[in-house]
């Protein structure tokens, strides 16, 4: 038997009534959708009924439950692959790029070198090592918070994108997760539903869809066999009810391809931007205060003690520098945006558990 692409079918599903299933990787099925080609659907596939036969499905009974795993293995799952995430060590490295921490590390290195050269080795390392430990704690805690925050947002996005849909399998309607849909499923559509995957019209009464998010068309589109029998994933059913045959899912669907193409580093929210600007303003005040205190301490020391012992003067200057940098570190609320973000994520997680998240 030849498929709609003019070649022999090779994928067999022993659990299906029709043992010959279209040999396609999803891209060929997607070519029916973009651009929409109802004439090709009729001429090459003999309409939705013929496409159902090629996919081993049934317009009324849907797929056999036993064939779902094989469909998912060939055509993929109705879920986008996770976006590349930063590892914990990458987050540690990014945290170490902070200029304040770099200054603190430089001051700690100088303090360690001067302390061990002027004092005994047993006692001269205390201050420098203490600063190194403090920096290590700050870096590890910040990286850990960023890592946990990313995991929380991933879990929240999965929960947000998951919803229940009605699918016909083995002649029975089932409520299941949108992620469980496979190519060949018969999906039941009702007013208000967001279409979970690309599909072809099977049956229905006055089904109209809002495709403005996908095509920019402001008018609702009437779906029927002789006009526009294609459903685009991510669009909305605004009127009517019926069924469709799933032909493209996940990253190979219309909406999935758009989302994959739009994947970019997550920009800061307006709240994070405002908090960041506030942190910069407060940090500038802290920087000015630190410079003033450092200058006053230097002037006071040399006005009282004069040049004196050069080693002692150098050690005191390093101590003054460490104090000034410590003031900058304390004054700059760099953790403020992070703390607010984590608090919001925690609040959303609690709302999700209480079923209050919309």
């Amino acid at each position: 038997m030849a498929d709609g692409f003019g070649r022999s079918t090779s994928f067999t599903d022993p659990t299906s009534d029709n043992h010959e299933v279209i040999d396609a990787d999803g891209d060929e099925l997607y070519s029916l959708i973009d651009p929409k080609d109802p004439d090709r659907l009729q001429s090459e596939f003999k309409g939705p009924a013929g496409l159902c036969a090629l996919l081993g499905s049934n317009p009324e009974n849907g797929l056999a439950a036993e064939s779902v795993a094989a469909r998912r293995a060939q055509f993929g799952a109705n879920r986008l692959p996770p976006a590349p995430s930063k590892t914990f060590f990458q987050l540690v490295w990014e945290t170490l790029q902070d200029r304040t921490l770099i200054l603190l590390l430089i001051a700690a290195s100088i303090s360690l070198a001067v302390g061990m050269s002027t004092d005994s080795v047993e006692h001269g390392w205390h201050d420098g090592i203490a600063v190194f430990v403090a920096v290590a704690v700050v870096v590890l805690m910040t990286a850990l918070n960023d890592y946990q925050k990313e995991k929380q947002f991933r879990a929240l996005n999965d929960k947000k994108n998951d919803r229940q849909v009605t699918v016909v399998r083995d002649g029975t309607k089932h409520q299941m997760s949108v992620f469980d849909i496979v190519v060949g499923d018969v999906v039941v559509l009702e007013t208000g539903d967001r279409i979970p995957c690309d599909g072809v019209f099977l049956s229905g009464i006055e089904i109209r869809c809002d495709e403005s998010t996908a095509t920019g068309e402001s008018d609702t589109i009437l779906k029927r066999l002789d006009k526009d029998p294609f459903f685009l994933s991510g669009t909305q059913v605004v009127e009517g009810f019926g069924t469709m045959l799933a032909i493209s899912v996940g990253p190979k669907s219309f909406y999935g391809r758009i989302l994959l193409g739009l994947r970019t580093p997550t920009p800061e929210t307006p709240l994070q931007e405002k908090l960041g600007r506030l942190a910069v303003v407060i940090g500038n005040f802290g920087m000015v205060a630190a410079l003033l205190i450092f200058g006053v301490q230097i002037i006071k020391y040399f006005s009282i003690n004069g040049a004196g012992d050069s080693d002692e003067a150098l050690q005191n200057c390093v101590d003054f520098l460490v104090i000034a940098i410590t003031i900058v570190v304390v004054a700059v609320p760099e953790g403020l945006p992070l703390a607010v973000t984590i608090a919001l994520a925690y609040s959303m997680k609690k709302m999700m558990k209480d079923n209050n998240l919309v």
Side-chain angles (χ1 to χ4, degrees):
M1 175 181 176
D3 65 12
F5 300 101
R7 61 187 183 189
S8 299
T9 56
S10 63
F11 179 84
T12 61
D13 181 1
T15 64
S16 175
D17 293 335
N18 186 331
H19 294 302
E20 293 184 280
V21 182
I22 194 170
D23 179 18
D25 60 1
D27 290 330
E28 293 170 303
L29 290 172
Y30 175 76
S31 65
L32 283 172
I33 295 288
D34 189 16
K36 295 179 181 180
D37 195 347
D39 293 335
R40 183 172 168 227
L41 175 65
Q42 295 294 334
S43 61
E44 294 188 17
F45 296 96
K46 309 307 179 185
L51 187 56
C52 275
L54 287 173
L55 289 174
S57 185
N58 184 286
E60 296 181 358
N61 297 326
L63 288 175
E66 295 83 359
S67 67
V68 171
R71 307 305 176 105
R72 188 174 289 115
Q74 184 186 9
F75 297 105
N78 193 31
R79 182 193 296 267
L80 294 182
S85 60
K86 296 177 182 177
T87 65
F88 178 75
F89 295 104
Q90 288 176 320
L91 294 173
V92 169
W93 176 252
E94 286 187 359
T95 305
L96 283 172
Q97 307 309 306
D98 180 76
R99 61 179 183 178
T100 304
L101 293 179
I102 293 175
L103 289 175
L104 199 56
L105 289 173
I106 293 174
S109 301
I110 296 174
S111 176
L112 183 63
V114 172
M116 295 182 67
S117 62
T118 56
D119 297 338
S120 61
V121 177
E122 292 80 5
H123 302 287
W125 57 270
H126 290 170
D127 292 341
I129 293 299
V131 176
F132 278 122
V133 171
V135 171
V137 171
V138 170
V139 169
L140 290 176
M141 290 302 297
T142 302
L144 181 61
N145 284 336
D146 287 342
Y147 186 73
Q148 291 179 338
K149 178 189 70 173
E150 187 167 343
K151 286 182 62 178
Q152 288 176 343
F153 275 114
R154 282 181 177 272
L156 181 63
N157 283 332
D158 286 342
K159 185 67 176 179
K160 180 188 68 174
N161 293 329
D162 190 12
R163 61 187 187 279
Q164 294 295 304
V165 294
T166 303
V167 174
V168 179
R169 287 181 184 170
D170 291 323
T172 306
K173 292 183 179 180
H174 301 274
Q175 286 284 328
M176 62 182 63
S177 169
V178 66
F179 299 137
D180 293 333
I181 295 176
V182 296
V183 170
D185 266 327
V186 174
V187 182
V188 179
L189 300 175
E190 296 179 354
T191 302
D193 287 349
R194 187 155 65 94
I195 298 175
C197 58
D198 296 339
V200 173
F201 179 93
L202 291 177
S203 64
I205 299 176
E206 289 296 321
I207 299 182
R208 291 184 176 271
C209 293
D210 178 8
E211 298 183 351
S212 58
T213 57
T215 64
E217 177 60 52
S218 58
D219 294 333
T220 58
I221 308 299
L222 176 63
K223 300 296 179 179
R224 61 189 188 193
L225 290 177
D226 60 345
K227 187 174 183 182
D228 186 347
F230 300 108
F231 293 92
L232 300 180
S233 54
T235 59
Q236 195 88 13
V237 179
V238 296
E239 185 180 337
F241 61 91
T243 59
M244 76 171 190
L245 175 70
I247 63 171
S248 294
V249 297
K252 295 179 180 178
S253 66
F254 184 86
Y255 192 56
R257 293 168 188 254
I258 292 177
L259 292 181
L260 289 178
L262 294 176
R263 277 189 174 174
T264 57
T266 305
E268 289 187 338
T269 64
L271 176 60
Q272 289 175 320
E273 292 179 354
K274 290 181 180 180
L275 290 174
R277 289 195 294 268
L278 177 62
V280 170
V281 172
I282 297 175
N284 290 337
F285 279 111
M287 184 72 72
V288 172
L291 290 175
L292 288 175
I293 292 175
F294 178 72
V296 169
Q297 287 180 316
I298 291 292
I299 294 173
K300 178 181 177 181
Y301 176 81
F302 284 105
S303 63
I304 294 176
N305 301 305
D309 185 4
S310 59
D311 290 339
E312 181 182 356
L314 179 59
Q315 177 64 49
N316 279 278
C317 289
V318 171
D319 292 340
F320 298 154
L321 178 61
V322 171
I323 292 173
I325 295 177
T326 303
I327 293 173
V328 174
V329 173
V330 174
V332 177
E334 294 181 343
L336 180 61
L338 176 62
V340 173
T341 302
I342 293 175
L344 290 174
Y346 177 77
S347 299
M348 286 188 288
K349 190 173 181 180
K350 294 289 291 183
M351 292 172 64
M352 185 173 61
K353 288 182 178 180
D354 295 335
N355 294 323
N356 289 329
L357 183 62
V358 179

